[in-house]
Amino acid sequence: MTANLFRRRQIIEDALAECLKRLGDITHDRNGERCLAITVRRCEGAIEQELHSIFSLAREIEVKLS
């Protein structure tokens, strides 16, 4: 059962990464976790990258599908 849950999460993560490539870069954070990196402009012209965990996004989708 646990293997099926892990595989389902992996399928959701992979699908999210594929779809989200249109919005930003898929990269890895310092812990090796896949993330969506989006470049944003802050006040006074500062440019930063926001990282959004693909794992966390997949978990949110799983919860909504349950």
Side-chain angles (χ1 to χ4, degrees):
M1 183 77 155
T2 303
N4 288 338
L5 293 175
F6 177 80
R7 182 67 190 132
R8 179 180 171 176
R9 173 74 55 84
Q10 189 66 46
I11 290 169
I12 293 171
E13 281 186 55
D14 292 344
L16 269 172
E18 188 66 30
C19 293
L20 293 174
K21 278 194 242 182
R22 293 177 286 155
L23 302 176
D25 296 323
I26 303 302
T27 187
H28 293 84
D29 66 9
R30 65 184 99 173
N31 297 321
E33 188 176 319
R34 282 191 297 178
C35 294
L36 170 67
I38 299 174
T39 303
V40 293
R41 286 192 182 273
R42 301 285 184 213
C43 60
E44 300 178 12
I47 298 173
E48 296 178 359
Q49 278 204 324
E50 288 184 352
L51 295 179
H52 301 275
S53 165
I54 302 283
F55 179 84
S56 295
L57 293 169
R59 184 176 53 220
E60 289 178 36
I61 288 175
E62 265 191 313
V63 168
K64 293 189 183 305
L65 291 174
S66 299

